[in-house]
Amino acid sequence: LEAISNVIKRDNLIELNKETGNYLLEKLREMCKLYPKLIANARGLGTFAAFDVCNTETRDKLIGNMKNLGLLIIFFLNKSFI
């Protein structure tokens, strides 16, 4: 556990996660403005981010595309916003 803590401190991973998360959230919010009929309600902390999708068909396409790009994603099946 001490070795892990040392790597986190040495590589400044907490600050890097914060910076990366801020960039991710900024871009997700831009996408919400560009495509308000498709995605909404971007939110997050660090690199843990979420957004709502208009319907299940769009959600499924996004999930497939993100997986094809090699993104690590977790998704929840909620009501659509339209």
Side-chain angles (χ1 to χ4, degrees), residues 57-71 73 75:
E57 181 183 346
T58 302
R59 182 206 60 218
D60 293 344
K61 285 180 183 179
L62 280 172
I63 290 168
N65 288 339
M66 287 188 281
K67 285 182 177 179
N68 288 338
L69 291 170
L71 297 173
I73 60 168
F75 59 93

Side-chain angles (χ1 to χ4, degrees), residues 11-77:
D11 295 348
N12 201 24
L13 295 181
I14 293 173
E15 184 62 29
L16 181 60
N17 182 273
K18 180 180 175 184
E19 291 173 12
T20 303
N22 288 341
Y23 178 81
L24 173 62
L25 192 54
E26 174 188 334
K27 296 303 177 185
L28 285 173
R29 287 181 174 150
E30 286 177 16
M31 290 178 60
C32 288
K33 289 178 183 176
L34 288 171
Y35 308 104
K37 293 183 179 182
L38 296 177
I39 65 172
N41 195 24
R43 57 211 181 267
L45 181 62
T47 54
F48 186 73
F51 55 91
D52 299 329
V53 180
C54 62
N55 57 50
T56 55
E57 181 183 346
T58 302
R59 182 206 60 218
D60 293 344
K61 285 180 183 179
L62 280 172
I63 290 168
N65 288 339
M66 287 188 281
K67 285 182 177 179
N68 288 338
L69 291 170
L71 297 173
L72 175 63
I73 60 168
I74 298 171
F75 59 93
F76 297 96
L77 308 177

